[in-house]
Amino acid sequence: MSGHVESAVRALIDRVGGDAATVRIEILQEASSGSRIAGFEASEGVLTLRGSDASAAASAFARYLHSQGHRITWESPRPIRPLTPWPDADRTDVRTPFAIRYHLNVVTHGYSTPYWDWARWEQELDWMALHGVTHPLVLTGYEAVLAETLGLLGIDGAIARTWIGSAAHLPWMSMGGVHDFGGPLPSRWDERRLALARRIIARARELGMTPVLPLPGGHLPAAVTGDEAAEIEWQGWRTPMLDPASPAFAHMLRLFLETQRRLLGDPGPEPVFAVDPYIESLPPSTDSAQLAAAGAGVHTAITAIYPAATWLLQGWPFHYHRAFWTSDRVGAYLSRIPHERLLLIDLWGEHAPMWREGMHGRRWLWTAVHNFGGRFALFGDLCGLARDVAELRARHPERLEGIGVAPEAIENNTVFYELAADLVWDDVDVDAWLDDFAMQRYGVDDDAAREAWRLLGSTLYGRGRTRSIPSPVIARPWSAAAPFASQRLAGEALVAEPARMSANIDAENDPAVLGDLPSIARAASLLISLGTKTDSRDAQERDVVELTSHVLAQQTRLRIRGILRAFTDRDVSTLRREGARLHDDLLALDRLAATRRESRVSTWIAQARSWGDTHAEREVMERDARSLVSVWGHQSSGLHDYSGRHWSGLIRDLYARRWAAWVSWLADAVEHGTRPSEDDLRRVIVEIEEQWREAHGSDDGSDEDPLALAAQLLTRAGYA
């Protein structure tokens, strides 16, 4: 085993640009069943890494890089300067009580990863290893296994493909939320995705990780469930569901697990499977006996094939529908599942922790969700994150087995995820950590970089910022009132319909949203002032563009307020003037986003189209990719802009057009002395959205220097 660990870690070091030939790896014995050990030292050009497993040894390498002013992140997948030979470093040893370090969310595979190729997955797997991940969730290939299983159950291939639907929406299909939407998938999709999934799973295991594989919770076409099956509801979709306590469910899951093993390989004697039968839907019965039978049915069906398997269950429903999931009902649902066979996730631990009220006596993980939908939002309570993990380490609550992150989307707010990974191994002083992070991120020891991150640490990433600051740009104009309060976002427990709560701060009534803009603009200007001194231009540009985008976007609130005041005053000239300024601001934001590849909608579209072999297949893939980041689903589903992004092409061709239509609608009503018809506005907005969803391609690139343009736009916005 030690030879395998050494080989895996050496290959990782080679992939990120290090010289593995001059690295010595020592495999340490664990201090206890729950703790893991990591350490490093370097002398005379030889780097020694110590770890209790491959993940710990890889983490030791990452911590050595940190000590030398380097940090491998999503934006910087290799050290920013060559390390040849390895600089000397004193012996450093750390340990963690968190044996499990979880990564990803089911829906990350829709909002971030649906079109990734092997090269991008390989980079992510290396990132996981360096950041101490032991249990990544792998949804890739699930739909191919499901399609094969449906065929074995007698379902026609065309019906199965229709049920499975869109590539972008597969996570919600897998959890029983969506079906028969978008698609069909390309003819070679299953072949290509299974090949990719096998590589992901093999590399994860090579790096000492346990891939968590999803299983169906019984959400299947009526041809399988029967016409009399109970249904669950989510966002307007009604989905029939096999009774988990039934022989039919056990038969289906046996077929699925056998097919999964045949197509993806043997998951090992102690696999971990994710099953979420009621993620945001209510069970069809409130009866305690039936709930107990449903929970036992899932467990029994899994362990009939893998007796030592663990069921990983997100605790999200118990928070999201807490009016339904009383302690008695949760207790009933879990009552017939042996303690050693269930692992419960306290999913939104950084904002709405369940563990303080107990985790129903179960083994559990603490995770941070942080991001919802991949929407543009710079935020994160760094001090709160450090405090929470330190408390878990110090108190080690009963049956806590690990921590992790389960964001709905990744490749955003890098600082939050880097801190979360570091906290696995040790407590930190956040202010000192930010100083180090500034140097590691840009490869320069400079007061301007440190001051920038101190400003950000007290504003966007300050205390209490556990919820995102919504972007007014993405709000859907839908009436003659400010649209911000009705933005359909997510997270807080649902109350009785039709009211829905939001996971976002009340930006219109929080003075810090606009009050912090001078400090945030100052941070952007400080990073611009670094000029060519940085060794990581990519991270510098990305941060400057995102910070400047935040400032420009939040200032559009002032334009929108001005438009509404002018409408109230019946002042059409001011209304149209403010509307024109809003349009100019949106185009400026689009122009800035165009300078970065990751913030162009054409990048997302190209990735989606790359999975199609024919023109028709590529068109379908593009439409579904466009759907996810705009309307999301059906016009009636109420998820509009849930995954809205500050992407060039999307801002210019969707958001700016909607706002322009809204301004014209208000101005026309003032000019004609009439009351504006909301029905007329909504028809126009829906038409704009559907036109964008059905469009093809996006000319949204730019050769402009992002730093120079950001400086120009900050000056234009009044931040000289």
Side-chain angles (χ1 to χ4, degrees), residues 289-307:
Q290 291 190 38
L291 288 171
V298 174
H299 159 70
T300 302
I302 295 172
T303 53
I305 311 301
Y306 297 105

Tab-separated table of all heavy atoms in Angstrom, residues 289-307:
chain	number	residue	atom	x	y	z
A	289	ALA	N	-45.053	5.167	10.612
A	289	ALA	CA	-44.718	3.802	10.211
A	289	ALA	C	-44.293	3.743	8.750
A	289	ALA	O	-43.353	3.025	8.383
A	289	ALA	CB	-45.905	2.876	10.464
A	290	GLN	N	-44.981	4.515	7.903
A	290	GLN	CA	-44.615	4.517	6.490
A	290	GLN	C	-43.285	5.221	6.264
A	290	GLN	O	-42.488	4.816	5.401
A	290	GLN	CB	-45.730	5.163	5.665
A	290	GLN	CG	-47.001	4.330	5.618
A	290	GLN	CD	-48.004	4.854	4.611
A	290	GLN	OE1	-47.642	5.304	3.522
A	290	GLN	NE2	-49.280	4.802	4.974
A	291	LEU	N	-43.015	6.279	7.026
A	291	LEU	CA	-41.714	6.938	6.915
A	291	LEU	C	-40.600	5.990	7.345
A	291	LEU	O	-39.546	5.910	6.701
A	291	LEU	CB	-41.693	8.205	7.776
A	291	LEU	CG	-42.532	9.391	7.274
A	291	LEU	CD1	-42.581	10.489	8.331
A	291	LEU	CD2	-41.970	9.937	5.975
A	292	ALA	N	-40.818	5.264	8.423
A	292	ALA	CA	-39.818	4.306	8.884
A	292	ALA	C	-39.583	3.223	7.843
A	292	ALA	O	-38.437	2.829	7.579
A	292	ALA	CB	-40.266	3.688	10.209
A	293	ALA	N	-40.655	2.762	7.218
A	293	ALA	CA	-40.522	1.730	6.191
A	293	ALA	C	-39.778	2.256	4.971
A	293	ALA	O	-38.999	1.530	4.343
A	293	ALA	CB	-41.905	1.222	5.794
A	294	ALA	N	-40.010	3.535	4.636
A	294	ALA	CA	-39.328	4.131	3.477
A	294	ALA	C	-37.826	4.211	3.725
A	294	ALA	O	-37.012	3.851	2.855
A	294	ALA	CB	-39.897	5.513	3.191
A	295	GLY	N	-37.424	4.681	4.893
A	295	GLY	CA	-36.001	4.742	5.205
A	295	GLY	C	-35.374	3.364	5.244
A	295	GLY	O	-34.290	3.133	4.686
A	296	ALA	N	-36.052	2.427	5.881
A	296	ALA	CA	-35.530	1.064	5.961
A	296	ALA	C	-35.449	0.426	4.582
A	296	ALA	O	-34.528	-0.365	4.310
A	296	ALA	CB	-36.429	0.227	6.872
A	297	GLY	N	-36.392	0.764	3.697
A	297	GLY	CA	-36.388	0.186	2.363
A	297	GLY	C	-35.152	0.551	1.573
A	297	GLY	O	-34.555	-0.298	0.890
A	298	VAL	N	-34.738	1.821	1.649
A	298	VAL	CA	-33.521	2.246	0.950
A	298	VAL	C	-32.309	1.512	1.524
A	298	VAL	O	-31.487	0.952	0.785
A	298	VAL	CB	-33.334	3.774	1.057
A	298	VAL	CG1	-31.998	4.194	0.457
A	298	VAL	CG2	-34.482	4.506	0.366
A	299	HIS	N	-32.204	1.515	2.844
A	299	HIS	CA	-31.066	0.843	3.487
A	299	HIS	C	-31.015	-0.641	3.135
A	299	HIS	O	-29.958	-1.176	2.763
A	299	HIS	CB	-31.162	1.009	5.002
A	299	HIS	CG	-30.373	-0.005	5.771
A	299	HIS	ND1	-28.997	-0.008	5.797
A	299	HIS	CD2	-30.776	-1.077	6.512
A	299	HIS	CE1	-28.581	-1.021	6.523
A	299	HIS	NE2	-29.632	-1.687	6.964
A	300	THR	N	-32.139	-1.320	3.226
A	300	THR	CA	-32.174	-2.762	2.978
A	300	THR	C	-31.812	-3.086	1.540
A	300	THR	O	-31.081	-4.048	1.269
A	300	THR	CB	-33.568	-3.318	3.317
A	300	THR	OG1	-33.867	-3.032	4.689
A	300	THR	CG2	-33.627	-4.819	3.086
A	301	ALA	N	-32.286	-2.259	0.597
A	301	ALA	CA	-32.006	-2.503	-0.816
A	301	ALA	C	-30.518	-2.335	-1.115
A	301	ALA	O	-29.946	-3.087	-1.915
A	301	ALA	CB	-32.835	-1.561	-1.684
A	302	ILE	N	-29.876	-1.365	-0.475
A	302	ILE	CA	-28.435	-1.160	-0.690
A	302	ILE	C	-27.643	-2.299	-0.070
A	302	ILE	O	-26.771	-2.900	-0.709
A	302	ILE	CB	-27.987	0.188	-0.097
A	302	ILE	CG1	-28.633	1.368	-0.835
A	302	ILE	CG2	-26.458	0.311	-0.159
A	302	ILE	CD1	-28.379	2.711	-0.174
A	303	THR	N	-27.926	-2.598	1.194
A	303	THR	CA	-27.097	-3.569	1.911
A	303	THR	C	-27.369	-5.002	1.475
A	303	THR	O	-26.577	-5.906	1.795
A	303	THR	CB	-27.288	-3.425	3.426
A	303	THR	OG1	-28.685	-3.489	3.750
A	303	THR	CG2	-26.716	-2.091	3.907
A	304	ALA	N	-28.450	-5.226	0.728
A	304	ALA	CA	-28.650	-6.552	0.149
A	304	ALA	C	-27.570	-6.859	-0.878
A	304	ALA	O	-27.229	-8.029	-1.114
A	304	ALA	CB	-30.033	-6.633	-0.507
A	305	ILE	N	-27.004	-5.821	-1.481
A	305	ILE	CA	-25.942	-5.988	-2.482
A	305	ILE	C	-24.576	-5.731	-1.855
A	305	ILE	O	-23.616	-6.470	-2.107
A	305	ILE	CB	-26.165	-5.030	-3.676
A	305	ILE	CG1	-27.608	-5.113	-4.171
A	305	ILE	CG2	-25.174	-5.330	-4.791
A	305	ILE	CD1	-28.036	-6.494	-4.611
A	306	TYR	N	-24.487	-4.687	-1.032
A	306	TYR	CA	-23.221	-4.327	-0.380
A	306	TYR	C	-23.479	-4.225	1.130
A	306	TYR	O	-23.840	-3.155	1.635
A	306	TYR	CB	-22.697	-2.999	-0.914
A	306	TYR	CG	-22.352	-3.015	-2.376
A	306	TYR	CD1	-23.174	-2.407	-3.319
A	306	TYR	CD2	-21.196	-3.646	-2.832
A	306	TYR	CE1	-22.855	-2.424	-4.675
A	306	TYR	CE2	-20.867	-3.672	-4.175
A	306	TYR	CZ	-21.706	-3.056	-5.094
A	306	TYR	OH	-21.383	-3.077	-6.434
A	307	PRO	N	-23.305	-5.306	1.857
A	307	PRO	CA	-23.661	-5.309	3.288
A	307	PRO	C	-22.946	-4.259	4.124
A	307	PRO	O	-23.488	-3.800	5.135
A	307	PRO	CB	-23.274	-6.728	3.735
A	307	PRO	CG	-23.329	-7.551	2.489
A	307	PRO	CD	-22.871	-6.632	1.390
